[in-house]
């Protein structure tokens, strides 16, 4: 069988992995077309506050999904996002010491029967049985669902008693679209496509007044 490739794939299907995967080419269309590289991700706010004896993190993201990602969602592909915050202590004699780690996992999917958007949130990776243990919410619009991901507040990072008031400590924060959760053919097709390469990170020094 001969396969002809133009700027965008036009075949009705692509056989991958010895026939175990048959992915409609329309799903992969956006991955090779430059017209839709318009997703946006930026970290607009990151702060740490003290709530009684606990340090808490708040983050605000600017997150917009371009036509490629939105089209993938409406065609049945779930998108996974992960946010991670680490509490680190400077060490001049060795690599910095990790004191605590907090993760949030998000699974965003479109439900064609109800025309609604479902967002699952968990502190553990969301897959298989873990999906049932996550917090699930339904939304009328994609923007409403993304709003929950954009606003991250009140994350418990660490007990103040576990931090050194005389040490130098900081928060390392990262957020990304987790393409490793995509089916294998999509991971390959995504490659270095801009719309699928969404990630942002930042570090924030913890003021000593917060740990005394």
């Amino acid at each position: 069988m001969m396969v002809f490739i133009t700027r965008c794939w036009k075949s009705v299907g692509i056989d991958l992995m010895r026939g175990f995967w048959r992915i409609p080419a329309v799903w992969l269309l956006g991955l090779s077309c430059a017209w839709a590289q318009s997703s946006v991700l930026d970290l607009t706010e990151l702060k740490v506050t003290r709530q009684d004896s606990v340090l808490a993190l708040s983050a605000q993201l600017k997150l917009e999904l371009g036509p490629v990602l939105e089209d993938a969602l409406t065609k049945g592909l779930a998108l996974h996002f992960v946010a991670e915050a680490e509490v680190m202590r400077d060490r001049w004699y060795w690599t910095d010491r990790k004191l605590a780690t907090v993760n949030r996992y998000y699974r965003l999917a479109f439900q064609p029967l109800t025309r609604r958007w479902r967002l699952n949130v968990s502190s553990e990776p969301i897959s298989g049985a873990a999906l049932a243990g996550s917090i699930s919410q339904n939304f009328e619009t994609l923007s409403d669902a993304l709003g929950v991901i954009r606003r991250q507040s009140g994350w418990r990072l660490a007990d103040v008693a576990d931090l050194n008031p005389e040490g130098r400590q900081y928060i390392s924060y990262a957020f990304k679209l987790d393409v490793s959760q995509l089916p294998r053919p999509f991971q390959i097709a995504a490659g270095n496509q801009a719309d699928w390469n969404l990630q942002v990170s930042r570090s924030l020094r913890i003021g000593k007044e917060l740990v005394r």
Side-chain angles (χ1 to χ4, degrees):
M1 178 181 68
M2 296 183 65
V3 178
F4 296 92
I5 300 177
T6 61
R7 183 179 179 184
C8 296
W9 299 339
K10 297 182 181 297
S11 59
V12 295
I14 297 174
D15 288 336
L16 296 172
M17 297 176 65
R18 297 185 178 179
F20 285 97
W21 291 93
R22 186 170 182 85
I23 306 298
V26 67
W27 283 26
L28 301 177
L29 183 63
L31 297 180
S32 59
C33 297
W35 57 267
Q37 295 181 356
S38 56
S39 295
V40 175
L41 175 61
D42 191 21
L43 180 61
T44 60
E45 182 180 73
L46 182 67
K47 64 180 181 180
V48 178
T49 57
R50 179 167 176 169
Q51 299 177 1
D52 297 325
S53 60
V54 173
L55 285 187
L57 175 78
S58 295
Q60 180 74 37
L61 295 164
K62 181 179 181 181
L63 174 62
E64 302 292 344
L65 302 186
V68 167
L69 298 186
E70 188 169 343
D71 187 58
L73 283 165
T74 57
K75 287 182 169 62
L77 186 69
L79 297 184
H80 292 254
F81 300 88
V82 58
E84 181 181 75
E86 297 178 332
V87 182
M88 308 292 293
R89 178 181 297 164
D90 291 350
R91 293 195 297 192
W92 62 267
Y93 57 90
W94 198 246
T95 56
D96 293 350
R97 180 186 177 189
K98 184 186 300 183
L99 302 177
T101 302
V102 177
N103 293 303
R104 289 291 184 277
Y105 297 89
Y106 304 88
R107 181 184 185 273
L108 178 62
F110 180 67
Q111 304 171 92
L113 293 180
T114 61
R115 308 297 298 176
R116 303 181 77 188
W117 301 84
R118 173 171 291 178
L119 180 66
N120 294 81
V121 184
S122 176
S123 59
E124 301 292 335
I126 302 174
S127 61
L131 184 62
S134 62
I135 298 174
S136 176
Q137 293 177 274
N138 292 317
F139 300 90
E140 296 294 333
T141 68
L142 175 59
S143 180
D144 289 341
L146 290 176
V148 175
I149 303 176
R150 295 180 185 122
R151 296 183 296 273
Q152 303 165 6
S153 61
W155 289 14
R156 176 175 173 150
L157 290 175
D159 292 329
V160 173
D162 295 332
L163 304 178
N164 183 354
E166 302 303 324
R168 288 174 54 83
Q169 289 135 150
Y170 64 95
I171 305 298
S172 177
Y173 173 90
F175 178 89
K176 68 178 181 179
L177 170 62
D178 188 3
V179 295
S180 70
Q181 295 292 332
L182 298 174
R184 183 60 178 171
F186 284 90
Q187 295 182 38
I188 297 172
N192 294 320
Q193 297 294 324
D195 266 81
W196 296 86
N197 188 26
L198 293 180
Q199 54 186 326
V200 65
S201 60
R202 186 177 301 172
S203 295
L204 177 66
R205 183 67 60 182
I206 299 175
K208 290 188 176 182
E209 70 278 2
L210 294 177
V211 296
R212 287 176 175 167

